[in-house]
Amino acid sequence: MTRTAGNVSTIFMDNVADWLIRNALAGQPLEEIIRGFCDRIAAAGMPIVRVHLTFSMLHPLYDALGFTWRAKSGLTVEGYRHDAGSPEIFLRSPYYQLLSNDLDYLRRRVPKEGPYEFPVFEDLQEDKVTDYIAFIQPFGEQSVQGMMGSWSTDAKDGFSDDMIAALQRIQNHLAVAAKMAVLDKLANNMLTTYLGGDAGKRVMNGQIRRGDGETIRAALVMGDMRSSTILAEKEGRQVYIDTLNDFFDAIAAPFNRNGGQILSFLGDGFLAVFPCDRHSEPSRQACQAVMAAVTVARSRVADLNRHRHEKGLANIEYGLGLHVGNVMFGNVGLRDRLTFSAFGSSVNEVVRLQELTKKYTTDVIASKAFSGYARGDWSMLGVEKLRGVRQKVTILTPDTVQKSLASDVRVEEAVADLRRNALSEAERLILLHRDSAQGGQKRQSATWLNRLLP
């Protein structure tokens, strides 16, 4: 049933404003703040049927976080990646009208039938929206972060003037609370992206002093791209960087799932760890998870090289060293410039194992300790004296690897790829908002669109 717009309690809306500040100061996640906010303004008598809020973020992988609240179904959350969309979507959106005309808000009554001024109105008809207000609110004149969104009601007469005034007042409080939560999320994002998930959490939890750390047991992976120096000298900086990123996407990504994490990138190589308990069964599970990732990595590099062959480019060659042992995990470096990493004899040994892939012209070499836990079929290559290691080490290469865990990793990657590629209109719109916020809205809007147009 369509509702009639009535009065909204000023006292209740003030209580919502107080609730926002309290929860922002308490460090509540942005998602919980948005959900609680929407539920409370609806409870205060605001005839809101849909709220969409998008927050631009400083993040190496994502442009924004988007939240859509509906009175019928609650809150949904999406992360919007750095992917470009179709220019037509921006040109026909309410947010483009705001940006191109340097407006703070835009209000439209939504007709029951088309043709519609904006394509989004067709979607709003599912919620029987009668009145729609879109807005943009930066988090400061020089900041690239900000809030963009819309209020929608299904009230027969739309939003009253008192309701609009209440929404504008509460919008300022929401922006303050959201900015505090976004900054907290930003710190988390930076640590997770640059340090890894587990290391980032450790730092956020206070493990920040030089020497802070612990000894853990883990299956270790050291990967390296071959002939990278020649490639850099022959093809130039940008081609080398693009090739290196393609290489990491293909071979390193499988080791960042299924219990593993990329701990550091070292030039054209990477170090991954699969932490486990100090017993045989956890060690077996960690080593078998590594071998599943090896299967996926081999397949992904083969796919990459097929694409490179079609373009007349040379194959990318690589080497992987596999080991298991105790490592020291923590902060090292200068007093005012630290890194969070794994170090110790086991790390040195896995580096040396990877280097031996050049001598034996094979892509994977493992220690006997690793192969014993991983099981499966292995071929012995020899016994080597590793530099910096007292005892000689028996080295092996895998004949076959387990398929079951490799299949699980492939499923996870397929789902991640689908999520990354399935961009909504709101996702593409926030890309325009963020780029527009840098150096002037009108000028940057035109620049962004010109870059996309053929």
Side-chain angles (χ1 to χ4, degrees), residues 189-248:
N189 289 340
M190 293 297 103
L191 289 172
T192 298
T193 300
Y194 285 96
L195 296 181
D198 185 52
K201 290 177 182 178
R202 289 168 183 263
V203 172
M204 285 292 287
N205 289 334
Q207 197 169 327
I208 59 175
R209 293 183 299 179
R210 185 168 70 164
D212 282 350
E214 62 181 303
T215 300
I216 66 171
R217 182 169 177 78
L220 306 171
V221 182
M222 180 68 200
D224 182 71
M225 186 172 76
R226 298 285 177 260
S227 305
S228 59
T229 302
I230 297 175
L231 176 65
E233 294 176 350
K234 180 181 178 181
E235 302 294 347
R237 180 186 65 183
Q238 193 58 50
V239 172
Y240 171 70
I241 291 176
D242 291 342
T243 302
L244 193 58
N245 283 329
D246 288 342
F247 168 72
F248 285 140

Side-chain angles (χ1 to χ4, degrees), residues 250-401:
I251 198 169
F255 299 102
N256 205 39
R257 298 185 173 95
N258 201 30
Q261 54 186 294
I262 302 295
L263 195 56
S264 59
F265 291 97
L266 312 169
D268 55 3
F270 67 91
L271 174 65
V273 295
F274 285 67
C276 57
D277 292 334
R278 303 173 190 277
H279 302 289
S280 59
E281 182 58 21
S283 297
R284 181 189 66 80
Q285 293 175 357
C287 292
Q288 290 186 347
V290 168
M291 292 310 299
V294 168
T295 299
V296 177
R298 280 173 157 173
S299 176
R300 289 169 65 105
V301 174
D303 289 341
L304 173 61
N305 283 333
R306 278 193 291 270
H307 290 303
R308 290 178 61 83
H309 179 73
E310 293 171 358
K311 298 177 181 179
L313 301 174
N315 284 349
I316 293 179
E317 305 295 338
Y318 63 93
L320 293 172
L322 313 177
H323 191 35
V324 62
N326 296 332
V327 296
M328 289 175 282
F329 194 59
N331 288 309
V332 294
L334 304 175
R335 294 184 182 277
D336 56 355
R337 177 61 176 91
L338 300 173
T339 186
F340 203 102
S341 187
F343 46 96
S345 60
S346 293
V347 175
N348 294 334
E349 289 166 19
V350 77
V351 171
R352 307 294 179 243
L353 290 169
Q354 181 278 132
E355 292 172 349
L356 286 174
T357 60
K358 303 174 184 178
K359 175 180 177 180
Y360 288 92
T361 62
T362 184
D363 58 349
V364 180
I365 284 183
S367 65
K368 185 176 182 180
F370 180 93
S371 65
Y373 285 117
R375 302 179 184 176
D377 298 325
W378 297 78
S379 295
M380 179 176 170
L381 296 176
V383 178
E384 289 283 342
K385 177 69 170 67
L386 304 182
R387 180 162 51 90
V389 180
R390 291 183 179 180
Q391 297 181 342
K392 290 186 176 181
V393 177
T394 300
I395 59 172
L396 306 94
T397 191
D399 295 331
T400 60
V401 294

Side-chain angles (χ1 to χ4, degrees), residues 143-144 433-441 443-444:
S143 174
V144 299
H433 174 229
R434 194 204 65 160
D435 286 350
S436 298
Q438 298 173 350
Q441 290 182 331
R443 176 174 57 82
Q444 289 297 328

